[in-house]
């Protein structure tokens, strides 16, 4: 038509392809299915599932997983974590034995046991950690046991209870730098976590290692002041 202007419809820009090193190939072996079947059979929770870890395909294919005890409902709501925040259910008395059995059947040389934060419990779930460590050791005396604990609100009896069970590695993550902690973590403080780590280190002998972890890419900078 004379005098009219034809408009070109907006077309979505083609999404760039991810580089090969960033793309995850789904497993083709039976290892993943076997790991999943075992976890389902023993009715265990894993941080792999509950926290929606993107690497769980690789880990489960290799026959390993990080067990998450004390339920799958957390009393905290950290910004980085996908675990559900809700009123927790009662602890399951036989869960330590089920974790021990899974460790045995998976033939784990190194087992990692973590938990949701249980601020509803007086000891924060510390005794449940202890019972799980003891159950795993009875059934798997050669397995290295690593626990990744919450801060237990920096309560000495709770920290001591876990240490008395003598895990090989006592891990408590700082998660991020001091400046970003209020944005990233729920109810936790940088100073409290440091204090927990100090106590663990001071009360541990050469047979127990103290460990922590930090995430990168949350807004920290390269300057030294960002780590304070």
């Amino acid at each position: 038509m004379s005098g009219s202007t034809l408009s070109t419809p907006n077309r979505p820009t083609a999404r760039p392809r991810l580089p090969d090193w960033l793309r995850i190939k789904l497993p083709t072996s039976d290892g993943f299915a076997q790991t999943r079947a075992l976890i389902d059979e023993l009715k265990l929770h894993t941080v792999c599932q509950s926290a929606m870890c993107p690497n769980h395909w690789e880990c489960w294919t290799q026959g390993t997983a990080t067990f998450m005890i004390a339920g799958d409902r957390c009393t905290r709501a950290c910004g980085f974590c996908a675990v559900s925040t809700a009123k927790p259910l009662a602890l399951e008395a036989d869960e330590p034995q089920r974790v021990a059995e899974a460790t045995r059947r998976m033939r784990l040389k190194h087992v990692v046991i973590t938990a949701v934060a249980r601020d509803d419990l007086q000891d924060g779930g510390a005794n449940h950690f202890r019972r799980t460590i003891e159950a795993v050791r009875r059934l798997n005396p050669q397995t290295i046991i690593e626990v990744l604990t919450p801060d237990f609100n920096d309560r000495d009896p709770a920290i001591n209870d876990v240490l008395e069970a003598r895990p090989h590695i006592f891990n408590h993550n700082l998660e991020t730098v001091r400046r970003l902690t209020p944005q990233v973590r729920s109810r936790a403080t940088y100073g409290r976590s440091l204090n927990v780590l100090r106590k663990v280190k001071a009360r541990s002998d050469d047979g127990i290692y103290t460990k922590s972890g930090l995430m990168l890419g949350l807004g920290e900078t390269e300057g030294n002041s960002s780590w304070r």
Side-chain angles (χ1 to χ4, degrees), residues 1-88:
M1 182 182 297
S2 176
S4 64
T5 303
L6 296 177
S7 60
T8 303
N10 294 328
R11 294 182 179 178
T13 304
R15 183 176 179 179
R17 292 179 62 84
L18 294 174
D20 290 339
W21 58 266
L22 194 58
R23 298 167 67 186
I24 298 175
K25 295 181 179 179
L26 296 183
T28 56
S29 68
D30 294 333
F32 178 88
Q34 292 171 355
T35 302
R36 181 168 186 170
L38 175 62
I39 290 169
D40 289 345
E41 177 190 342
L42 295 175
K43 297 182 171 129
L44 293 172
H45 298 296
T46 66
V47 74
C48 320
Q49 291 173 301
S50 296
M52 300 183 184
C53 177
N55 298 321
H56 85 281
W57 290 95
E58 179 180 353
C59 295
W60 284 21
T61 298
Q62 296 175 0
T64 186
T66 298
F67 301 115
M68 189 174 77
I69 61 175
D72 62 348
R73 298 179 177 187
C74 190
T75 54
R76 301 187 185 184
C78 296
F80 66 88
C81 185
V83 174
S84 299
T85 303
K87 182 178 179 180

Side-chain angles (χ1 to χ4, degrees), residues 135-152:
V136 170
R137 179 171 289 121
R138 280 194 299 270
L139 202 59
N140 309 273
Q142 303 303 317
T143 298
I144 295 173
I145 301 172
E146 176 179 345
V147 292
L148 172 56
T149 76
D151 61 25
F152 299 127

Side-chain angles (χ1 to χ4, degrees), residues 49-223:
Q49 291 173 301
S50 296
M52 300 183 184
C53 177
N55 298 321
H56 85 281
W57 290 95
E58 179 180 353
C59 295
W60 284 21
T61 298
Q62 296 175 0
T64 186
T66 298
F67 301 115
M68 189 174 77
I69 61 175
D72 62 348
R73 298 179 177 187
C74 190
T75 54
R76 301 187 185 184
C78 296
F80 66 88
C81 185
V83 174
S84 299
T85 303
K87 182 178 179 180
L89 302 175
L91 295 175
E92 298 175 343
D94 66 338
E95 185 177 48
Q97 287 70 40
R98 287 186 276 126
V99 173
E101 175 63 15
T103 302
R104 183 188 70 81
R105 288 164 62 175
M106 294 170 75
R107 300 179 181 178
L108 296 180
K109 296 179 180 179
H110 185 130
V111 62
V112 181
I113 303 163
T114 190
V116 291
R118 291 297 303 258
D119 295 318
D120 59 309
L121 301 175
Q122 186 173 4
D123 71 346
N127 189 254
H128 201 62
F129 263 107
R130 176 175 185 154
R131 293 181 57 245
T132 303
I133 294 167
E134 292 171 344
V136 170
R137 179 171 289 121
R138 280 194 299 270
L139 202 59
N140 309 273
Q142 303 303 317
T143 298
I144 295 173
I145 301 172
E146 176 179 345
V147 292
L148 172 56
T149 76
D151 61 25
F152 299 127
N153 286 304
D154 195 16
R155 292 175 177 164
D156 284 3
I159 296 169
N160 291 340
D161 203 14
V162 177
L163 282 174
E164 287 170 5
R166 299 192 57 77
H168 296 90
I169 303 168
F170 192 120
N171 185 355
H172 172 64
N173 284 343
L174 287 168
E175 309 295 3
T176 189
V177 299
R178 186 190 297 275
R179 175 175 59 84
L180 297 174
T181 295
Q183 301 167 246
V184 174
R185 303 174 73 190
S186 169
R187 299 181 62 180
T189 67
Y190 191 84
R192 182 193 299 158
S193 287
L194 276 182
N195 208 34
V196 169
L197 291 167
R198 288 192 190 102
K199 289 178 178 179
V200 171
K201 183 66 176 177
R203 298 171 189 175
S204 303
D205 55 32
D206 292 338
I208 301 177
Y209 292 90
T210 307
K211 179 180 176 182
S212 189
L214 290 162
M215 294 176 284
L216 298 179
L218 299 179
E220 69 282 349
T221 61
E222 293 185 6

